[in-house]
Amino acid sequence: ILNAIPIEELKKKAEEFPLSFHKRPVFVSVGRLHSRKGYHTLMEAHAKLLNDGFEHEIIIIGDGEERQNLENQAKRLGVTESFKFLGTLVNPYPYVKNADFYIMPSESEGWPLIIAEALILQKPIISTNVGSISQMISHQKNGYLIEYKIDGMYNSMKEFITNIDLISSIKNNLKDAEKQFD
């Protein structure tokens, strides 16, 4: 086991407070606001999806040196109401649990603990295929692995928003996801 995860504590934290989102699909991501985390690229894909009529929302939890640049980009693209920055939160897990999907658009990663935590919370995940993520996610089985490109993000998010059968299959495959981390 690469990282010991207190599974029951994680599930308890995910239930700590209730959340309800708008009726449109919600993607959540937790990470430091750094250029290599891919949030600039994700925002471009997000704006393109909205322009093409695919309603959804993105919530980013975390802070960092790129926050002001990202907020400026959101204003420039006209997505300040649908691409939201919540800053650093002591407990991001209720957001992960209650969102429809988890997305990690990173240009590079090691073994991100948040991917394991999102799997334990049974969230369908879109992630760039970097670092050791492919050790946790099997493409189209318990998530979606993509290249670090606007089109890869756009196409996978569109697939998650529109393909009910795919999401149903991924959710079914996530029922025992915690076993790999126990």
Side-chain angles (χ1 to χ4, degrees):
I1 298 174
L2 297 173
N3 289 59
I5 300 169
I7 293 171
E8 293 310 313
E9 181 182 331
L10 171 69
K11 289 179 179 179
K12 187 176 179 183
K13 285 181 177 179
E15 299 286 343
E16 199 168 278
F17 52 88
L19 279 172
S20 61
F21 297 115
H22 301 292
K23 295 292 181 200
R24 57 188 175 188
V26 175
F27 292 84
V28 68
S29 189
V30 179
R32 193 166 47 92
L33 302 184
H34 184 277
S35 59
R36 71 179 176 82
K37 292 294 186 174
Y39 293 122
H40 292 287
T41 305
L42 176 60
M43 195 182 307
E44 294 287 340
H46 168 67
K48 187 176 174 184
L49 280 163
L50 290 176
N51 288 337
D52 290 347
F54 298 100
E55 287 296 316
H56 66 289
E57 184 176 329
I58 297 180
I59 296 173
I60 307 296
I61 299 169
D63 225 330
E65 63 270 17
E66 280 298 303
R67 181 155 186 168
Q68 189 61 56
N69 291 333
L70 287 161
E71 288 175 345
N72 292 341
Q73 181 183 4
K75 287 176 190 167
R76 192 172 62 254
L77 294 172
V79 297
T80 56
E81 295 299 314
S82 58
F83 200 100
K84 298 176 181 173
F85 299 97
L86 301 187
T88 301
L89 300 177
V90 173
N91 181 5
Y93 304 115
Y95 291 89
V96 175
K97 182 184 183 325
N98 289 289
D100 296 292
F101 314 112
Y102 188 87
I103 188 160
M104 179 170 278
S106 297
E107 194 172 356
S108 65
E109 283 290 340
W111 196 92
L113 186 58
I114 189 64
I115 292 291
E117 293 166 336
L119 289 168
I120 290 167
L121 294 174
Q122 301 181 11
K123 275 307 117 187
I125 299 172
I126 296 171
S127 177
T128 47
N129 191 4
V130 295
S132 297
I133 294 172
S134 64
Q135 292 176 10
M136 294 182 274
I137 296 176
S138 297
H139 185 62
Q140 293 186 338
K141 288 191 173 42
N142 65 346
Y144 229 66
L145 295 172
I146 61 171
E147 291 183 57
Y148 178 74
K149 293 183 178 177
I150 292 172
D151 287 344
M153 291 178 202
Y154 173 94
N155 291 330
S156 61
M157 291 169 70
K158 178 180 171 185
E159 189 76 13
F160 271 41
I161 292 168
T162 62
N163 190 336
I164 296 166
D165 292 336
L166 172 67
I167 297 307
S168 178
S169 174
I170 289 173
K171 284 182 177 181
N172 189 51
N173 292 334
L174 287 170
K175 287 180 181 172
D176 294 327
E178 68 186 55
K179 287 182 180 176
Q180 68 178 309
F181 305 109
D182 190 353

